[in-house]
C-alpha cells in the first residue's frame, strides 16, 4: 500500500531531526543491512523456531480479497510496495525532468537490465546441461532477478561521494529488471492469473492518477484508492509491489497549479523517511531470515548440487557480464550514451550490485522446485551469491569513490558539471 498526499503546511518543508535522520540515504542502507544480519543470525540460531513462528503469524481478513497473510508476506508485498512507490516517484522525476529525459541515456540502463537477465539465465542453463541435472532446468529464471532494495542499500552505505547519476542508472536497471522478472513469473510460474482483478487494479491506478493531478491533493482520498489498487493487484496474482511503481509513475513531475515545486519532489520528501526508516528494515528483517541449518538434507550434500553452482555463477558472473557487455555494445555501436557523470568504471560496482538477487530470486526458487532438496540448495545459493555480490560491490564502490574523476566521465566531449552526489552534505564532508 502506498502513501498519499504530503502535508501542505509550512512545517512539512522543515522536517524535524528524526525525519531528517530517517531521510538520509546512509540511514536507510544501514538499517536495512542491520535488520538483514539480525534476521539471518536469528534464523540460524538455536531460537530459529521463534523466528519462523513470528514470520508465519497470519494477520488480516480472509475475505473478500484473501488478505489473511503472514507477517513475512505483509512485509514483502505490503511494506515493500511503499518503497516501490518512492522508486516510481523518483524515476518519474528523472524521466520527465532529470537525467533520463534524454532517450539516448535512458535506453542504456534499460538494455543493460535485459542483458543482466539473459546472460545469467544462459549460464544457469548451460551449467545444468553440462552437469546433467536437467530436472532443475525449470529454475532458469532464479538468477535473473535483482533485489532493488538491498542493492540501493549497499550503494547508499558504500557509494558515498559518487555522482547521483550512478544511483539513477542502478535504479532504472533494477526497476526494469524487477518488472521483467514479474512478467516472467506471470508467464512461466503463475498457473492462474486473475485478469479481472488485474483490470480492476489498473482502474484504481487510473483513478489515483486523476486525483493526484487535482488542484488540491487530499490524502484521505488518495490513500484508500492506493490501498484498493494494491489489494486488487495482489489478488490478481501479479506481485503487489508493481502497484507501488504504477502509482508512483502517476504523480506529476512538473509543477502544476502554480505550485513552487513538483509533486514528485514533495511526495518523495514526505514518504522517504517512513520508507527508509520503517518499511525497508522490517522488510529486510523478514526477507533475510533464510535458515541454512536444520534442513532435511545435510548442508554438505546441498552445496554439491549443480543448481547451487548454476545460481552462484549466474548471479555473480552472469550479471557482471550481462550488464557490462550490453552497455559496452550499445554505447559503442548505437547512438545510446551513458548519462553525464557516469564512466565505464562506475558500471563495475553497478553490475555487481545487480547480482544481489535475494527476494525475487527466493520467490522464483519456491515456485520452481517441488522438492525440498532443490529448494534448499537454491536458497543457500541465492544467499551466498547475494552476499558475495554485495561484498564485491562494496569493495568496488569504495575503490571507485577514492579514484580521481574527470569532468567528462562519459566521454561525450561535453562537460559533466556534476553537482549531486550520493549521501547528504554531512556524508560528503566525511568522505
Amino acid at each position: 500500500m502506498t502513501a498519499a498526499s504530503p502535508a501542505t503546511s509550512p512545517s512539512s518543508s522543515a522536517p524535524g531531526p528524526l525525519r531528517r535522520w530517517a531521510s538520509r540515504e546512509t540511514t536507510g542502507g544501514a538499517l536495512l543491512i542491520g535488520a538483514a544480519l539480525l534476521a539471518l543470525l536469528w534464523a540460524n540460531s538455536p531460537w530459529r523456531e521463534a523466528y519462523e513462528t513470528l514470520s508465519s503469524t497470519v494477520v488480516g481478513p480472509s475475505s473478500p480479497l484473501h488478505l489473511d497473510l503472514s507477517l513475512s508476506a505483509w512485509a514483502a508485498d505490503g511494506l515493500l510496495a511503499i518503497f516501490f512507490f518512492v522508486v516510481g516517484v523518483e524515476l518519474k522525476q528523472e524521466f520527465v525532468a532529470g537525467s533520463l529525459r534524454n532517450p539516448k541515456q535512458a535506453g542504456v540502463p534499460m538494455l543493460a537490465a535485459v542483458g543482466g537477465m539473459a546472460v545469467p539465465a544462459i549460464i544457469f542453463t548451460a551449467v545444468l546441461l553440462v552437469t546433467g541435472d536437467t530436472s532443475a532446468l525449470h529454475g532458469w529464471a532464479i538468477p535473473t532477478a535483482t533485489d532493488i532494495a538491498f542493492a540501493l542499500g549497499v550503494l547508499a552505505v558504500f557509494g558515498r561521494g559518487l555522482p547521483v547519476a550512478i544511483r539513477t542508472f542502478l535504479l532504472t536497471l533494477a526497476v526494469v529488471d524487477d518488472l521483467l522478472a514479474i512478467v516472467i513469473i506471470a508467464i512461466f510460474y503463475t498457473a492462474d492469473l486473475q485478469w479481472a482483478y488485474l483490470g480492476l487494479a489498473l482502474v484504481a491506478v487510473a483513478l489515483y492518477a486523476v486525483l493526484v493531478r487535482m488542484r488540491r491533493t487530499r490524502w484521505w482520498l488518495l490513500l484508500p484508492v492506493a490501498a484498493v489498487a494494491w489489494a486488487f493487484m495482489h489478488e490478481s496474482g501479479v506481485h503487489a509491489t508493481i502497484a507501488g511503481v504504477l502509482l508512483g509513475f502517476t504523480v506529476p513531475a512538473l509543477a502544476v497549479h502554480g505550485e513552487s515545486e513538483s509533486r514528485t519532489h514533495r511526495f518523495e520528501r514526505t514518504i522517504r523517511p517512513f520508507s527508509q526508516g520503517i518499511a525497508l528494515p522490517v522488510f529486510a528483517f523478514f526477507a533475510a531470515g533464510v535458515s541454512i541449518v536444520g534442513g532435511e538434507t545435510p548442508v554438505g550434500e546441498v552445496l554439491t548440487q549443480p543448481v547451487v553452482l548454476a545460481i552462484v555463477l549466474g548471479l555473480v558472473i552472469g550479471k557482471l557480464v550481462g550488464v557490462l557487455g550490453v552497455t559496452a555494445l550499445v554505447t559503442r555501436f548505437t547512438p545510446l550514451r551513458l548519462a553525464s557523470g557516469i564512466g565505464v568504471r562506475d558500471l563495475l560496482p553497478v553490475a555487481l550490485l545487480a547480482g544481489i538477487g535475494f527476494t525475487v530470486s527466493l520467490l522464483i526458487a519456491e515456485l520452481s522446485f517441488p522438492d525440498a532438496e532443490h529448494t534448499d540448495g537454491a536458497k543457500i545459493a541465492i544467499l551466498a551469491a547475494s552476499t558475495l555480490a554485495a561484498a564485491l560491490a562494496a569493495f568496488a564502490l569504495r575503490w571507485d569513490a577514492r579514484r580521481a574523476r574527470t569532468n567528462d566521465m562519459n566521454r561525450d566531449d561535453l562537460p559533466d558539471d556534476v553537482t549531486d552526489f550520493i549521501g547528504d552534505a554531512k556524508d560528503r564532508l566525511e568522505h
Side-chain angles (χ1 to χ4, degrees):
M1 285 173 286
T2 59
S5 169
T8 57
S9 65
S11 62
S12 64
S13 60
L18 181 60
R19 288 181 61 84
R20 286 197 300 270
W21 176 79
S23 296
R24 292 178 59 186
E25 292 179 342
T26 48
T27 297
L31 288 176
L32 181 140
I33 294 172
L37 290 175
L38 175 62
L40 188 59
L41 291 174
W42 190 0
N44 291 278
S45 73
W47 307 278
R48 58 182 175 274
E49 290 185 3
Y51 176 84
E52 294 171 359
T53 300
L54 179 63
S55 297
S56 59
T57 300
V58 175
V59 177
S62 59
S63 62
L65 295 176
H66 304 96
L67 296 180
D68 49 338
L69 307 176
S70 66
L71 290 179
S72 60
W74 276 113
D77 291 350
L79 288 178
L80 197 59
I82 299 172
F83 167 74
F84 269 86
F85 177 83
V86 176
V87 167
V89 167
E90 285 189 70
L91 280 182
K92 176 69 175 292
Q93 179 66 31
E94 292 297 330
F95 276 116
V96 175
S99 61
L100 297 178
R101 65 184 182 277
N102 183 347
K104 289 184 179 180
Q105 295 179 359
V108 178
M110 292 181 177
L111 292 175
V114 176
M117 298 183 74
V119 176
I122 293 171
I123 289 177
F124 180 93
T125 303
V127 170
L128 291 186
L129 289 177
V130 169
T131 57
D133 189 9
T134 56
S135 62
L137 284 175
H138 190 55
W140 62 271
I142 293 173
T144 64
T146 294
D147 192 304
I148 183 172
F150 280 96
L152 290 177
V154 174
L155 178 62
V157 173
F158 296 99
R160 298 189 309 277
L162 290 172
V164 166
I166 297 173
R167 183 183 186 277
T168 303
F169 187 100
L170 174 63
L171 190 66
T172 307
L173 183 153
V175 167
V176 172
D177 186 300
D178 272 1
L179 291 175
L180 292 177
I182 297 303
V183 171
I184 289 173
I185 292 173
I187 296 176
F188 297 99
Y189 296 93
T190 300
D192 188 20
L193 184 63
Q194 301 292 326
W195 291 101
Y197 283 112
L198 180 59
L200 290 173
L202 296 179
V203 170
V205 171
L207 176 58
Y208 187 93
V210 173
L211 294 174
V212 83
R213 283 172 168 77
M214 295 177 65
R215 180 170 293 276
R216 292 182 59 84
T217 53
R218 297 173 172 84
W219 69 267
W220 47 269
L221 282 177
L222 292 176
L223 186 57
V225 173
V228 168
W230 176 89
F232 281 141
M233 188 70 72
H234 179 271
E235 187 67 11
S236 73
V238 175
H239 204 278
T241 53
I242 297 303
V245 177
L246 295 179
L247 291 167
F249 271 126
T250 67
V251 181
L254 299 176
V256 294
H257 303 301
E259 296 172 344
S260 60
E261 65 174 341
S262 68
R263 291 182 177 178
T264 49
H265 277 139
R266 289 170 50 204
F267 276 53
E268 188 268 343
R269 185 175 64 247
T270 301
I271 302 167
R272 178 178 290 278
F274 180 81
S275 172
Q276 292 192 157
I278 298 177
L280 280 183
V282 173
F283 153 73
F285 176 77
F286 285 107
V290 178
S291 179
I292 59 177
V293 298
E296 297 180 7
T297 307
V299 175
E301 292 184 21
V302 172
L303 292 176
T304 60
Q305 294 179 16
V307 72
V308 173
L309 178 63
I311 292 173
V312 172
L313 291 179
L315 281 173
V316 180
I317 304 300
K319 286 288 186 180
L320 185 67
V321 173
V323 171
L324 291 180
V326 169
T327 301
L329 289 174
V330 299
T331 54
R332 182 177 178 85
F333 298 108
T334 74
L336 301 180
R337 292 294 178 265
L338 291 170
S340 296
I342 302 180
V344 175
R345 79 178 198 217
D346 299 319
L347 299 184
L348 173 62
V350 168
L352 290 169
L353 287 170
I356 305 176
F358 220 79
T359 310
V360 180
S361 292
L362 290 172
L363 172 62
I364 298 175
E366 291 279 2
L367 298 173
S368 298
F369 305 124
D371 59 297
E373 182 178 353
H374 276 118
T375 303
D376 290 343
K379 287 183 177 180
I380 292 177
I382 293 166
L383 180 62
S386 297
T387 302
L388 177 59
L392 292 173
F395 176 81
L397 285 168
R398 298 319 303 152
W399 166 80
D400 190 17
R402 291 189 180 100
R403 294 187 64 193
R405 306 185 71 84
T406 68
N407 199 31
D408 186 21
M409 292 296 295
N410 61 347
R411 298 182 179 179
D412 61 354
D413 296 323
L414 296 173
D416 292 338
D417 294 330
V418 175
T419 58
D420 296 323
F421 299 89
I422 296 173
D424 60 13
K426 181 175 183 294
D427 294 327
R428 293 197 295 273
L429 288 174
E430 291 173 351
H431 169 74

